[in-house]
Amino acid sequence: ILGGHVAEPHLRPHMASLQLDGEHVCGGFLIAEQWVLSAAHCTEETDGKLFQVLLGAHSLTEPEPHKRLYRVRAQIPHPGSNIHNNKDDLLLLQLEEKAELNEHVQVLRFQREDRDVAADTVCEVAGWGTVSHSGRRPDKLYQVERPVLSRDDCNHRTRHDHTITRNMMCTDSRKKDTCKGDSGGPLVCNGVAEAVVTAGSRVCGNYKKPGIYTRIAPYAAWIDGVMASVAG
Ligand SMILES: NC(=O)c1cc2c(NC(=O)[C@@]34C[C@@H]5C[C@@H](C[C@@](N)(C5)C3)C4)cccc2[nH]1
């Protein structure tokens, strides 16, 4: 997160850190007791290994009550996701067991109505991604508020040049922005998860390249189908 600040501890009990060998790779969030939603591109450099999911954390390293690392039983990328673009960039992770819910570990509901969030709506995004242009990685969860940018503005040829589909949305990226490692985390508007930070590598903090997110509502049926099909 560039240009943001350390989050209030445990105000985002839905936040997950997707880790490999104890290292934070991507964000994600709890959508059901045994399911985390993240970004498909996050599996790009995992060489087929399964993530471990850290829940209930504020600091990545310090011992904290209710902080727990869960093993993953299954990782299901959206079938339309691919390495060449940001399309269908969603990943469902089934935890080995149901997460133990408490004041630091909670499910966050996601938007099911497929209607664009109005431009200029101020949303918030949090993550353990890099917090400086030099790539400093934080120990604590950071957050930043960002206004939604209309798809038309975002698709301007000097910005993302008509690559933003109706299944994506954008936020202004002037100075305050998501960055490497924030991918997979939720964009929360009025307390509801509207979208997921895409994981395509993009320049951070440059107003000419707004933040890109995968809207969740268009995928509600896919998410429900996967959760219903994979035996609990
Ligand atoms: N979404 C953004 O704003 C954003 C992402 C991002 C980035 N790249 C990643 O964060 C990942 C995401 C997953 C897992 C890891 C390997 C990778 N190839 C796939 C790329 C790190 C690099 C530079 C700037 C960036 N900005």
Side-chain angles (χ1 to χ4, degrees):
I1 299 281
L2 289 192
H5 51 277
V6 175
E8 292 284 301
H10 309 297
L11 272 196
R12 284 171 189 71
H14 53 268
M15 276 306 289
S17 164
L18 273 52
Q19 308 200 340
L20 277 186
D21 307 323
E23 188 187 342
H24 169 84
V25 172
C26 269
F29 68 106
L30 207 59
I31 58 166
E33 285 182 282
Q34 203 162 350
W35 293 90
V36 168
L37 183 63
S38 183
H41 284 248
C42 289
T43 60
E44 259 167 20
E45 296 171 5
T46 58
D47 190 29
K49 281 185 277 183
L50 290 176
F51 283 114
Q52 289 187 311
V53 173
L54 182 66
L55 295 177
H58 177 57
S59 159
L60 291 176
T61 57
E62 291 160 20
E64 294 171 332
H66 307 303
K67 181 175 164 181
R68 199 175 138 191
L69 198 58
Y70 287 84
R71 270 193 296 282
V72 165
R73 179 180 300 170
Q75 285 175 184
I76 302 122
H78 188 282
S81 60
N82 62 82
I83 56 167
H84 306 293
N85 58 45
N86 283 322
K87 285 203 174 95
D88 304 331
D89 189 12
L90 293 178
L91 175 72
L92 276 167
L93 301 102
Q94 185 186 30
L95 303 179
E96 269 285 3
E97 59 185 291
K98 285 188 176 179
E100 196 180 320
L101 302 184
N102 52 61
E103 71 263 49
H104 293 176
V105 180
Q106 285 293 322
V107 168
L108 175 65
R109 63 199 170 94
F110 59 83
Q111 183 58 259
R112 290 175 172 275
E113 266 188 61
D114 189 353
R115 198 183 0 210
D116 281 336
V117 178
D120 300 329
T121 304
V122 176
C123 302
E124 57 176 39
V125 58
W128 286 278
T130 52
V131 292
S132 73
H133 284 287
S134 62
R136 189 165 72 83
R137 305 158 77 115
D139 176 55
K140 293 188 168 53
L141 184 66
Y142 272 66
Q143 70 177 65
V144 73
E145 284 75 33
R146 297 317 296 143
V148 171
L149 196 66
S150 75
R151 189 170 296 105
D152 286 352
D153 284 356
C154 198
N155 267 326
H156 193 273
R157 62 184 163 72
T158 61
R159 292 191 167 76
H160 286 303
D161 192 11
H162 308 293
T163 61
I164 307 302
T165 69
R166 60 175 310 285
N167 288 349
M168 300 174 196
M169 66 184 285
C170 298
T171 60
D172 175 88
S173 52
R174 207 169 76 80
K175 293 192 176 52
K176 302 179 177 188
D177 194 9
T178 54
C179 203
K180 183 174 175 63
D182 291 319
S183 304
L187 179 71
V188 181
C189 313
N190 302 314
V192 180
E194 290 284 347
V196 172
V197 180
T198 52
S201 303
R202 56 177 269 279
V203 62
C204 314
N206 179 331
Y207 81 101
K208 292 299 248 181
K209 296 299 171 197
I212 308 172
Y213 306 77
T214 305
R215 293 180 59 240
I216 301 169
Y219 299 93
W222 172 70
I223 292 168
D224 290 339
V226 167
M227 291 200 295
S229 68
V230 183

